[in-house]
Amino acid sequence: MVVVAILAILSAIALPGYGSYITRQKLVAAQSDLQALSMNMENYLQNTTQYPSASGSIDSTAALKTTLPGWNPAASADFRYQVTAVSNSAQPPTYTLQAIGTTGNVSGCVVTLSSANLRTLAGCSVGGSTW
């Protein structure tokens, strides 16, 4: 009985910490995916002199993978990726990339990276407001 009680106490302490760890790792994967997407956007700009856009945005992971076939997100099971606010007429051209959490503890998290390298994190239970 004592052993069961000790195991219950240890589990109560360890499980919340483990859940937080998993959430942070998913956010790190999304951040890495956004950095890779940013590099693919810059490569596209070098090849075509403009960023890809469908009326200023590409709002699905599948459309992004089709447009930028060199990009393969690792966290696509937990995040939906999109390109917003593309402006090819600005000097220099600009864009904003977002990873929006869709499952579990990352649901509602929005990780953002802009062409000016502004990085924000919103709606998450872990982490601050920047990354």
Side-chain angles (χ1 to χ4, degrees):
M1 193 65 115
V2 173
V3 171
V4 171
I6 292 173
L7 287 175
I9 292 169
L10 290 175
S11 295
I13 294 170
L15 287 179
Y18 181 71
S20 178
Y21 169 78
I22 295 298
T23 301
R24 284 192 307 273
Q25 293 309 308
K26 287 180 180 183
L27 289 172
V28 167
Q31 293 164 355
S32 296
D33 287 342
L34 286 181
Q35 290 172 331
L37 179 56
S38 176
M39 287 186 264
N40 276 271
M41 292 285 286
E42 296 302 328
N43 189 36
Y44 191 95
L45 175 69
Q46 293 295 317
N47 291 329
T48 65
T49 68
Q50 65 181 4
Y51 291 121
S53 70
S55 302
S57 68
I58 302 173
D59 62 357
S60 76
T61 304
L64 278 169
K65 289 171 74 172
T66 301
T67 304
L68 303 167
W71 178 68
N72 190 20
S76 61
D78 298 308
F79 288 89
R80 178 176 56 85
Y81 296 90
Q82 64 184 22
V83 178
T84 61
V86 174
S87 175
N88 285 308
S89 60
Q91 290 303 321
T94 61
Y95 62 81
T96 301
L97 309 175
Q98 289 184 326
I100 301 165
T102 58
T103 62
N105 290 344
V106 295
S107 182
C109 289
V110 179
V111 185
T112 306
L113 174 63
S114 75
S115 55
N117 202 30
L118 298 173
R119 302 165 182 230
T120 61
L121 181 62
C124 296
S125 61
V126 297
S129 60
T130 61
W131 55 279

